[in-house]
Amino acid sequence: PLPGVFTDNPAPSAINGSLWSLPYELTCYAALALLSLVPGAMRAKALIALISIAGLILLRPTVPPANPFTNFFGLDYYHTKLGLMFALGAVFACWRDHLRVLLWPSLILLFVSYYTTHSSMQLLLFLLGLGVLTLWLALYARWLPRVPSRIGDWSYGAYLYGFPVQQLLAHYKLHEVSFAGYVIVSTFV
């Protein structure tokens, strides 16, 4: 926050809320770099990492510390959850010649997670289902608007710049005039 900036907005004093994810992302990339130094095929290492993180979630899903390594490695609940999603993406990237991202398994995982009463299993099934659904949407949902490939990948830039743009527009009360207009102008900017 910056003193006196956006104090009357619905998200008061926040300049760029999207930056919360950077420490988690950097941790995942650092873990991937360290993993690359371990002997063996990256395919196997990515799969072992996914299974290990899934095991940590099953051990202690919701009560911080989220896993037995919290005090040693500084990993918290969000590192574990987001690390699982990162590892899932790494597994699909490493095994892309052998695995195909399918819609129906993700929907089944999400459906089963809704009806599972064991909290750690519910969280694990939900995260796996959501991760696979996200990959499927990114790879195969052709009905979603796309930026032409010659322009490059704007997704991360839109993520980082979206929040400050929305805050600026909210400062001028555009969200109160028309929420649809607010979304359209935010998207355009």
Side-chain angles (χ1 to χ4, degrees), residues 8 15-16 18 46 58 60 73 85 99 103 114-115 120 132 137 170 174 178 182:
D8 296 328
I15 303 300
N16 195 343
S18 302
L58 289 174
R60 301 207 43 199
F73 292 114
M85 302 295 249
L99 287 178
L103 177 61
Y114 183 76
Y115 291 103
S120 58
V132 174
L137 287 170
L174 183 59
S178 164
Y182 173 68

Side-chain angles (χ1 to χ4, degrees), residues 8-144:
D8 296 328
N9 280 15
S13 301
I15 303 300
N16 195 343
S18 302
L19 298 178
W20 73 269
S21 64
L22 287 179
Y24 300 104
E25 187 176 351
L26 288 172
T27 301
C28 287
Y29 283 118
L32 188 62
L34 290 173
L35 200 58
S36 72
L37 300 175
V38 175
M42 187 53 98
R43 276 193 225 184
K45 294 184 282 190
L47 189 57
I48 290 168
L50 178 67
I51 292 167
S52 299
I53 296 170
L56 293 174
I57 288 173
L58 289 174
L59 285 174
R60 301 207 43 199
T62 56
V63 180
N67 60 66
F69 302 106
T70 300
N71 294 332
F72 186 70
F73 292 114
L75 301 177
D76 62 14
Y77 179 57
Y78 296 105
H79 276 101
T80 307
K81 288 186 350 180
L82 298 173
L84 180 83
M85 302 295 249
F86 189 89
L88 183 66
V91 166
F92 274 105
C94 289
W95 291 84
R96 67 182 160 268
D97 296 336
H98 304 286
L99 287 178
R100 182 171 170 173
V101 180
L102 299 173
L103 177 61
W104 63 267
S106 69
L107 297 177
I108 290 171
L109 287 169
L110 289 170
F111 179 80
V112 171
S113 77
Y114 183 76
Y115 291 103
T116 301
T117 57
H118 191 267
S119 65
S120 58
M121 184 58 73
Q122 183 179 44
L123 178 62
L124 179 61
L125 293 173
F126 175 77
L127 290 173
L128 291 172
L130 182 64
V132 174
L133 177 62
T134 302
L135 286 170
W136 185 84
L137 287 170
L139 294 171
Y140 303 113
R142 299 293 178 215
W143 69 88
L144 294 174

